[in-house]
Amino acid sequence: MAQYTLVDLRDDADRLGLRLHAGPADDRRVVRVDLAAIDRLDGLSEGTLAILTEEEQPPPFRIDVALRQASARGLAGLVFTASLTLAETARVLAERGGVPVFSATGVPAAELAKTIDRAISGGASEAMMRGARAIELASAAAASPEGSTESILSAAGGALGVELSIVADPAASWTDSDAVFIGEVPIGRLVAGSSDGATAVALPVIASLLSRVAQRQSRDRYAPTQSRADLLVELVLADPSRAEGFVAQAARLGLPLARSHVVAWLSPTRRADPDARAPRSVQPALELFALQLVEARDEMWHVAFLQDDLVLVCTEEHGAGDHQRRVREIATRIQQRAQELAGADWAYTLGLGTPQLGALGLRQSAAEARIAAESAIAAGRLGGVELTDVTGLRRVLLDVYASPISRELLHDILRPLDELGADRARQSVRTLLVYLAHGGSLVHAGRELMLHPNGVGYRMRRIRELLGIDLDDPDARFAVELACRVRLLGDG
């Protein structure tokens, strides 16, 4: 059986209600504990911790005499159960005589003696009792309406006589006994300042209590935000004619649809398998991170998921400055976190919409953000940030480009040029677009391309031969120009 020393007594001070006033708390053994009057110390044996039963502090001279007696008899220490203020002479005697002086104000002497005696006896029974007491107090703190992680840590730590804390560890597994979770999201591990049998017994139960309270706090804190997120998903997916019908429902949930909105759209892609679903563990962890990130900000934020895609909406008064920039700052931090959670095999591409007003505007900003992200992915620009151009033509082109069917049909028009090789094909598409944009003028096209008109004519003859399309036909000319613009858009 391990010996109980003055160091152990000092470490247990908080749990026992003790305060060390003077004297060394070293590795000398505490053999037993006994109750005694301050003038009856001569009956105690060496190694005894004397708990003095006086209800009031003795006179200073009496304390000095008691310290000399305790030193002479080799007592382990003195514990005063009355309020204590030591004179300087007593402090000096305690240090020189090697007698630690404690006080335990308000703690019943007999109860304190029993508790310390159990600690001295040691063994599994004492550890089980302390562990059970810690679990009891932690459970009471968790059940309280005001229960929090801080109150549980304080209550359990006090009973165990150690400092408890949660150390962040996103890699913690649900099978780890010390892991603390919010739902499915690991937030850290419960650690103790020192370990013994009591902490080994209590920590798994306390970690479970902390997880339940953290989940409850998260639910209460973010429930309104998550209800609004469900509504946003419905709005984004609904037919445009139904958009204004969401206004009243949104108002009841505290979502002012009449204001200005900017949407960010974050889409995951597995580099080796673009059709793969994102890891299941990413979404709950990313949602919690995003909600915590925007919680203290002045703007109104909403986080929702459409399958694996994260939709971030920022709502402000109409005309708020730098609206899109602020969304980008937050969204890129979420993008970085998503990348960390998913790993190097995955890329998260971010699309940003423009500020838009009202319910229909929110849908439009969401469409812009989605199209920007999807067109970047389709062009192979994974993991970047794509801004929506403010011109209407580019929005139309992005929408066309984001559609695999439309993109393939338009690429089919220009596919014969790919036989020239990547560089010459790109040059030919650029020449063709400039030629069509200038109404077939070799002179104006040559000026933009910095070519002699004859050079443009030579290129165009080769292009016509390869495409086999009548560029004098207005419909054909329109389709070819659209194909050129979409092809160059995809090339970045």
Side-chain angles (χ1 to χ4, degrees), residues 34-163:
D34 207 347
L35 300 174
I38 195 169
D39 56 356
R40 293 289 185 268
L41 299 181
D42 53 354
L44 302 179
S45 60
E46 182 179 354
T48 299
L49 178 69
I51 298 180
L52 306 179
T53 56
E54 281 77 12
E55 295 182 357
E56 296 183 359
Q57 176 175 325
F61 79 90
R62 176 56 67 186
I63 294 176
D64 292 350
V65 172
L67 284 167
R68 290 189 176 94
Q69 287 182 317
S71 178
R73 300 196 65 81
L75 300 185
L78 302 178
V79 180
F80 291 82
T81 55
S83 297
L84 182 65
T85 302
L86 283 184
E88 187 59 31
T89 55
R91 294 181 182 279
V92 172
L93 287 171
E95 293 294 336
R96 288 179 179 175
V99 180
V101 178
F102 297 88
S103 68
T105 307
V107 181
E111 187 66 30
L112 179 62
K114 290 180 183 178
T115 304
I116 296 176
D117 184 62
R118 285 197 297 264
I120 294 171
S121 301
S125 60
E126 192 276 332
M128 288 295 293
M129 291 184 64
R130 275 200 295 131
R133 179 60 175 164
I135 292 171
E136 178 186 355
L137 293 177
S139 299
S144 169
E146 294 78 28
S148 64
T149 55
E150 292 77 13
S151 64
I152 293 174
L153 292 171
S154 176
L160 293 170
V162 298
E163 182 180 355

Side-chain angles (χ1 to χ4, degrees), residues 185 284-294 330 333-338 340-341:
V185 183
L286 192 60
E287 180 181 28
L288 180 62
F289 175 81
L291 290 172
Q292 292 175 335
L293 183 62
V294 302
I330 294 296
R333 292 182 63 184
I334 297 173
Q335 180 186 31
Q336 292 167 2
R337 181 59 176 161
E340 293 171 1
L341 291 168

Side-chain angles (χ1 to χ4, degrees), residues 262-456:
V262 173
V263 178
W265 197 287
L266 189 63
S267 294
T269 308
R270 189 170 190 175
R271 300 181 189 277
D273 182 8
D275 296 325
R277 294 291 305 272
R280 181 174 177 271
S281 60
V282 170
Q283 188 171 121
L286 192 60
E287 180 181 28
L288 180 62
F289 175 81
L291 290 172
Q292 292 175 335
L293 183 62
V294 302
E295 184 177 16
R297 293 184 65 92
D298 294 332
E299 311 91 352
M300 179 176 284
W301 295 83
H302 323 282
V303 180
F305 281 90
L306 282 172
Q307 292 188 341
D308 293 336
D309 291 2
L310 181 144
V311 182
L312 179 70
V313 183
C314 178
T315 299
E316 290 199 75
E317 293 290 349
H318 181 53
D322 295 331
H323 195 169
Q324 189 184 54
R325 178 188 60 77
R326 288 194 299 278
V327 175
R328 179 172 182 167
E329 289 177 356
I330 294 296
T332 51
R333 292 182 63 184
I334 297 173
Q335 180 186 31
Q336 292 167 2
R337 181 59 176 161
Q339 189 66 66
E340 293 171 1
L341 291 168
D345 290 343
W346 289 84
Y348 278 78
T349 306
L350 178 63
L352 289 174
T354 57
Q356 299 291 335
L357 193 62
L360 287 172
L362 191 152
R363 283 175 52 85
Q364 180 176 337
S365 187
E368 293 171 351
R370 175 183 61 81
I371 291 167
E374 289 179 355
S375 61
I377 293 170
R381 299 191 300 276
L382 304 179
V385 180
E386 293 287 324
L387 297 177
T388 299
D389 195 290
V390 295
T391 63
L393 175 59
R394 183 170 174 82
R395 289 181 186 169
V396 172
L397 292 175
L398 285 171
D399 209 352
V400 172
Y401 191 78
S403 166
I405 295 176
S406 300
R407 189 169 63 249
E408 191 65 24
L409 288 173
L410 292 172
H411 279 344
D412 281 343
I413 296 175
L414 301 175
R415 202 175 303 279
L417 298 179
D418 294 335
E419 298 175 6
L420 301 172
D423 292 338
R424 289 189 62 194
R426 190 177 300 108
Q427 180 191 74
S428 297
V429 171
R430 168 72 173 154
T431 300
L432 179 55
L433 177 60
V434 172
Y435 173 80
L436 293 174
H438 286 288
S441 169
L442 297 177
V443 174
H444 290 95
R447 187 176 297 131
E448 182 171 339
L449 294 169
M450 291 184 291
L451 281 176
H452 190 278
N454 291 342
V456 179

Side-chain angles (χ1 to χ4, degrees), residues 173-179 189 203-205 207-208:
S173 169
W174 65 271
T175 57
D176 298 335
S177 61
D178 58 353
R189 297 180 182 276
L203 255 61
V205 180
S208 177

